[in-house]
Amino acid sequence: MAVLNIEFKASSSKLTELEALLQQYHPLFIGEDHQADTYFNVPAGRLKLREGNIENALIHYEREDCPGAKVSHVLLYHHKPDKALKDILIKTLGIKAVVDKRRRIYFINNVKFHFDTVDGLGTYVEVEAIDKDGTIGKEKLQAQCDQYAALFGIKAEDYCSVSYSDMILEKAL
């Protein structure tokens, strides 16, 4: 399934407060997921296998590495947990990085909220405005991201320009 996202990730030491603020808008709470994202070596974009107790997916995405909300083109394949799939990916592509995190997941309509605690990195809030079928458009997705960044009081220096995997790889140097 091809999906268009506009999304941002921001460092925050106030996850509890931000989550409480979001509660005022009566979001749908999906649950708390313990996720291991294994990133693989690919020539373009990023490819990760997400293994969690809520979400399991093979995800390829391409997006610019820049701070703030950015366009992300996503190919998503939901799957049942399957060791063989991971073994095939490891054998053919090799592991680039592994991201281990606890993620609290909410939705308000087409907007997905993540409150993340990432092993070795810290705490982050992530907002994804999602257009699954091309009916919403980039302008509205951008406006949704801007709205929630303002609500959460995200400052320019809070935004992350790269993925968790990139941060982990940079930290390992």
Side-chain angles (χ1 to χ4, degrees), residues 4 73 77 82 88 100 102 107 122 138 143 150:
L4 174 65
H73 296 278
Y77 173 71
D82 183 354
I88 290 167
D100 192 293
R102 294 222 173 259
F107 270 95
K138 286 182 184 179

PDB file of all heavy atoms in Angstrom, residues 4 73 77 82 88 100 102 107 122 138 143 150:
ATOM      1  N   LEU A   4       1.027   8.589   1.464  1.00  0.00           N
ATOM      2  CA  LEU A   4       1.708   9.870   1.572  1.00  0.00           C
ATOM      3  C   LEU A   4       1.556  10.369   3.003  1.00  0.00           C
ATOM      4  O   LEU A   4       0.438  10.448   3.520  1.00  0.00           O
ATOM      5  CB  LEU A   4       1.101  10.893   0.602  1.00  0.00           C
ATOM      6  CG  LEU A   4       1.640  12.318   0.729  1.00  0.00           C
ATOM      7  CD1 LEU A   4       3.117  12.383   0.351  1.00  0.00           C
ATOM      8  CD2 LEU A   4       0.824  13.272  -0.121  1.00  0.00           C
ATOM      9  N   HIS A  73       7.229   9.412   1.473  1.00  0.00           N
ATOM     10  CA  HIS A  73       6.537   8.472   0.600  1.00  0.00           C
ATOM     11  C   HIS A  73       6.783   7.076   1.164  1.00  0.00           C
ATOM     12  O   HIS A  73       7.926   6.645   1.280  1.00  0.00           O
ATOM     13  CB  HIS A  73       7.047   8.582  -0.835  1.00  0.00           C
ATOM     14  CG  HIS A  73       6.761   9.929  -1.425  1.00  0.00           C
ATOM     15  ND1 HIS A  73       5.542  10.257  -1.961  1.00  0.00           N
ATOM     16  CD2 HIS A  73       7.525  11.037  -1.532  1.00  0.00           C
ATOM     17  CE1 HIS A  73       5.563  11.502  -2.387  1.00  0.00           C
ATOM     18  NE2 HIS A  73       6.770  12.006  -2.138  1.00  0.00           N
ATOM     19  N   TYR A  77       3.746  -2.832   4.156  1.00  0.00           N
ATOM     20  CA  TYR A  77       3.221  -4.196   4.064  1.00  0.00           C
ATOM     21  C   TYR A  77       3.015  -4.716   5.480  1.00  0.00           C
ATOM     22  O   TYR A  77       3.982  -4.921   6.218  1.00  0.00           O
ATOM     23  CB  TYR A  77       4.201  -5.103   3.299  1.00  0.00           C
ATOM     24  CG  TYR A  77       3.800  -6.555   3.305  1.00  0.00           C
ATOM     25  CD1 TYR A  77       2.697  -6.993   2.573  1.00  0.00           C
ATOM     26  CD2 TYR A  77       4.496  -7.487   4.056  1.00  0.00           C
ATOM     27  CE1 TYR A  77       2.313  -8.325   2.588  1.00  0.00           C
ATOM     28  CE2 TYR A  77       4.120  -8.826   4.069  1.00  0.00           C
ATOM     29  CZ  TYR A  77       3.026  -9.230   3.333  1.00  0.00           C
ATOM     30  OH  TYR A  77       2.644 -10.545   3.356  1.00  0.00           O
ATOM     31  N   ASP A  82       6.779 -13.177  11.738  1.00  0.00           N
ATOM     32  CA  ASP A  82       7.297 -14.294  10.956  1.00  0.00           C
ATOM     33  C   ASP A  82       8.822 -14.245  10.956  1.00  0.00           C
ATOM     34  O   ASP A  82       9.416 -13.377  10.328  1.00  0.00           O
ATOM     35  CB  ASP A  82       6.745 -14.187   9.532  1.00  0.00           C
ATOM     36  CG  ASP A  82       7.160 -15.346   8.645  1.00  0.00           C
ATOM     37  OD1 ASP A  82       7.975 -16.201   9.066  1.00  0.00           O
ATOM     38  OD2 ASP A  82       6.670 -15.399   7.505  1.00  0.00           O
ATOM     39  N   ILE A  88      15.268 -13.827   5.981  1.00  0.00           N
ATOM     40  CA  ILE A  88      15.515 -13.566   4.550  1.00  0.00           C
ATOM     41  C   ILE A  88      16.100 -12.177   4.358  1.00  0.00           C
ATOM     42  O   ILE A  88      17.088 -11.991   3.633  1.00  0.00           O
ATOM     43  CB  ILE A  88      14.210 -13.733   3.731  1.00  0.00           C
ATOM     44  CG1 ILE A  88      13.806 -15.209   3.673  1.00  0.00           C
ATOM     45  CG2 ILE A  88      14.368 -13.155   2.324  1.00  0.00           C
ATOM     46  CD1 ILE A  88      12.387 -15.439   3.164  1.00  0.00           C
ATOM     47  N   ASP A 100      15.169   0.066  19.287  1.00  0.00           N
ATOM     48  CA  ASP A 100      14.276  -0.535  20.270  1.00  0.00           C
ATOM     49  C   ASP A 100      13.567   0.599  20.998  1.00  0.00           C
ATOM     50  O   ASP A 100      14.217   1.496  21.533  1.00  0.00           O
ATOM     51  CB  ASP A 100      15.085  -1.390  21.247  1.00  0.00           C
ATOM     52  CG  ASP A 100      14.199  -2.262  22.115  1.00  0.00           C
ATOM     53  OD1 ASP A 100      13.459  -1.702  22.934  1.00  0.00           O
ATOM     54  OD2 ASP A 100      14.263  -3.497  21.984  1.00  0.00           O
ATOM     55  N   ARG A 102       9.705   1.991  23.151  1.00  0.00           N
ATOM     56  CA  ARG A 102       8.345   1.869  23.675  1.00  0.00           C
ATOM     57  C   ARG A 102       7.584   3.049  23.101  1.00  0.00           C
ATOM     58  O   ARG A 102       8.059   4.178  23.149  1.00  0.00           O
ATOM     59  CB  ARG A 102       8.329   1.910  25.190  1.00  0.00           C
ATOM     60  CG  ARG A 102       9.009   0.706  25.773  1.00  0.00           C
ATOM     61  CD  ARG A 102       8.248   0.160  26.965  1.00  0.00           C
ATOM     62  NE  ARG A 102       8.839  -1.081  27.409  1.00  0.00           N
ATOM     63  CZ  ARG A 102       8.372  -2.289  27.128  1.00  0.00           C
ATOM     64  NH1 ARG A 102       7.303  -2.426  26.389  1.00  0.00           N
ATOM     65  NH2 ARG A 102       8.969  -3.363  27.581  1.00  0.00           N
ATOM     66  N   PHE A 107      -4.657   8.159  17.654  1.00  0.00           N
ATOM     67  CA  PHE A 107      -5.142   8.710  16.393  1.00  0.00           C
ATOM     68  C   PHE A 107      -6.202   9.764  16.657  1.00  0.00           C
ATOM     69  O   PHE A 107      -7.023   9.614  17.566  1.00  0.00           O
ATOM     70  CB  PHE A 107      -5.807   7.624  15.521  1.00  0.00           C
ATOM     71  CG  PHE A 107      -4.887   6.913  14.591  1.00  0.00           C
ATOM     72  CD1 PHE A 107      -4.319   5.708  14.956  1.00  0.00           C
ATOM     73  CD2 PHE A 107      -4.605   7.430  13.333  1.00  0.00           C
ATOM     74  CE1 PHE A 107      -3.469   5.032  14.099  1.00  0.00           C
ATOM     75  CE2 PHE A 107      -3.760   6.752  12.464  1.00  0.00           C
ATOM     76  CZ  PHE A 107      -3.190   5.558  12.850  1.00  0.00           C
ATOM     77  N   GLY A 122      16.553   8.616  24.024  1.00  0.00           N
ATOM     78  CA  GLY A 122      15.738   9.530  24.820  1.00  0.00           C
ATOM     79  C   GLY A 122      14.276   9.467  24.454  1.00  0.00           C
ATOM     80  O   GLY A 122      13.772   8.447  23.991  1.00  0.00           O
ATOM     81  N   LYS A 138      -1.374  17.370   0.207  1.00  0.00           N
ATOM     82  CA  LYS A 138      -0.217  17.847   0.966  1.00  0.00           C
ATOM     83  C   LYS A 138      -0.515  19.082   1.816  1.00  0.00           C
ATOM     84  O   LYS A 138      -0.030  19.190   2.936  1.00  0.00           O
ATOM     85  CB  LYS A 138       0.952  18.166   0.023  1.00  0.00           C
ATOM     86  CG  LYS A 138       1.638  16.959  -0.540  1.00  0.00           C
ATOM     87  CD  LYS A 138       2.812  17.389  -1.423  1.00  0.00           C
ATOM     88  CE  LYS A 138       3.449  16.186  -2.080  1.00  0.00           C
ATOM     89  NZ  LYS A 138       4.564  16.580  -2.946  1.00  0.00           N
ATOM     90  N   ALA A 143      -0.861  21.443   7.147  1.00  0.00           N
ATOM     91  CA  ALA A 143      -1.595  22.257   8.121  1.00  0.00           C
ATOM     92  C   ALA A 143      -1.848  21.465   9.406  1.00  0.00           C
ATOM     93  O   ALA A 143      -1.760  22.017  10.509  1.00  0.00           O
ATOM     94  CB  ALA A 143      -2.914  22.740   7.518  1.00  0.00           C
ATOM     95  N   ALA A 150       2.316  23.381  16.929  1.00  0.00           N
ATOM     96  CA  ALA A 150       1.991  24.577  17.717  1.00  0.00           C
ATOM     97  C   ALA A 150       1.360  24.174  19.052  1.00  0.00           C
ATOM     98  O   ALA A 150       1.718  24.710  20.109  1.00  0.00           O
ATOM     99  CB  ALA A 150       1.062  25.495  16.929  1.00  0.00           C
TER     100      ALA A 150
END
